[in-house]
Amino acid sequence: MDTVKSPAEQRVLLENVAWATYESLLSGRGENRVPRFTYDQGMLEIMSPSSEHESVGYYIGLLVALFAEETGTDVYGVGSTTFRRTDVQRGFEPDACFYVRNEERIRGKSRIDLDVDPPPDLVIEVNITNPSLNKLPIYAQMGVSEVWRYDGEELSFLTLNNGEYSGIESSMVLPSITARSASDLVEKSKSLRLTSWLREVRKVVRENSNY
């Protein structure tokens, strides 16, 4: 068992964990979203985020919502919903996630079942400390088309091609947003008051949008 502790996140990685045990932990936690579980074919990461971690995820989620509003793009956020597939023995809980291309298929659903429903189009992952489990292969097998990852310093965009993720400068699922501008706005969220930050985001969108 490996344990990584920091003011930002606490992570525990367990090996040789049965799928039934993973499902039992999910069931026992109930509707709580903490701790968050990631399961990868016998490996189980248990992560408890701090207020810093949650704040970054919150602002990135707001960023998505504002860009969507300003560009007239319909998105549907499902937060840190648990996504899992028994057939591949994998499951994850993002810091936030959104349906964009498949927004109509998911809007209003009380439960999402990846056996019949599509995966989220966009997953937000905050890793202020080095993660103990690489989640990209899990997202890839689930078919998540885009991942935004924040490493404590900058936000990067990744897109899925032929089963692997590669970095991109501009989002493929949300128009008129670049990794550089998004990263700058996340950094500004740490010093600006919320109302000032919201105005800054709208300004950036309008300056860089053809909508």
Side-chain angles (χ1 to χ4, degrees), residues 1-60:
M1 179 180 73
D2 296 325
T3 303
V4 178
K5 293 185 178 182
S6 82
E9 300 146 343
Q10 293 186 9
R11 301 176 188 271
V12 175
L13 182 63
L14 304 175
E15 300 179 3
N16 301 315
V17 177
W19 179 262
T21 301
Y22 166 60
E23 292 200 315
S24 178
L25 287 169
L26 291 173
S27 177
R29 188 189 58 187
E31 295 302 315
N32 294 324
R33 294 290 91 190
V34 177
R36 294 193 187 126
F37 299 118
T38 302
Y39 187 88
D40 188 4
Q41 300 173 345
M43 304 288 289
L44 176 67
E45 181 188 84
I46 304 172
M47 191 274 287
S48 296
S50 71
S51 58
E52 178 188 3
H53 180 113
E54 295 287 70
S55 179
V56 171
Y58 169 76
Y59 275 98
I60 296 175

Side-chain angles (χ1 to χ4, degrees), residues 66-67 70-71 200-209:
L66 287 167
F67 266 83
E70 290 292 326
T71 60
E200 180 68 18
V201 174
R202 294 186 191 281
K203 176 184 175 183
V204 170
V205 180
R206 292 167 184 174
E207 288 176 347
N208 295 280
S209 174

Side-chain angles (χ1 to χ4, degrees), residues 110-160:
S110 58
R111 299 283 180 182
I112 299 174
D113 180 357
L114 291 187
D115 287 335
V116 294
D117 297 317
D121 298 297
L122 173 61
V123 158
I124 309 300
E125 180 181 310
V126 178
N127 288 318
I128 298 174
T129 60
N130 291 326
S132 53
L133 184 64
N134 181 10
K135 299 177 180 64
L136 290 182
I138 303 174
Y139 302 148
Q141 188 162 40
M142 300 285 192
V144 175
S145 57
E146 189 165 308
V147 177
W148 293 7
R149 302 181 82 183
Y150 181 75
D151 64 4
E153 296 181 356
E154 64 179 358
L155 185 65
S156 58
F157 293 177
L158 303 170
T159 190
L160 185 63

Side-chain angles (χ1 to χ4, degrees), residues 80-206:
S80 54
T81 294
T82 302
F83 296 93
R84 62 187 188 273
R85 279 177 48 187
T86 305
D87 61 329
V88 296
Q89 299 279 288
R90 282 175 159 169
F92 69 92
E93 295 173 331
D95 290 292
C97 63
F98 297 86
Y99 284 86
V100 186
R101 295 165 181 159
N102 290 303
E103 181 267 343
E104 282 192 68
R105 294 180 59 184
I106 298 299
R107 187 194 320 132
K109 295 197 73 168
S110 58
R111 299 283 180 182
I112 299 174
D113 180 357
L114 291 187
D115 287 335
V116 294
D117 297 317
D121 298 297
L122 173 61
V123 158
I124 309 300
E125 180 181 310
V126 178
N127 288 318
I128 298 174
T129 60
N130 291 326
S132 53
L133 184 64
N134 181 10
K135 299 177 180 64
L136 290 182
I138 303 174
Y139 302 148
Q141 188 162 40
M142 300 285 192
V144 175
S145 57
E146 189 165 308
V147 177
W148 293 7
R149 302 181 82 183
Y150 181 75
D151 64 4
E153 296 181 356
E154 64 179 358
L155 185 65
S156 58
F157 293 177
L158 303 170
T159 190
L160 185 63
N161 283 311
N162 298 319
E164 295 186 355
Y165 288 100
S166 57
I168 50 175
E169 294 183 1
S170 299
S171 173
M172 303 292 288
V173 299
L174 278 175
S176 304
I177 183 169
T178 66
R180 175 174 292 181
S181 62
S183 189
D184 288 343
L185 288 167
V186 171
E187 190 62 28
K188 287 180 179 179
S189 73
K190 300 175 184 178
S191 58
L192 293 177
R193 292 179 177 176
L194 177 59
T195 52
S196 298
W197 183 80
L198 293 173
R199 287 194 292 270
E200 180 68 18
V201 174
R202 294 186 191 281
K203 176 184 175 183
V204 170
V205 180
R206 292 167 184 174

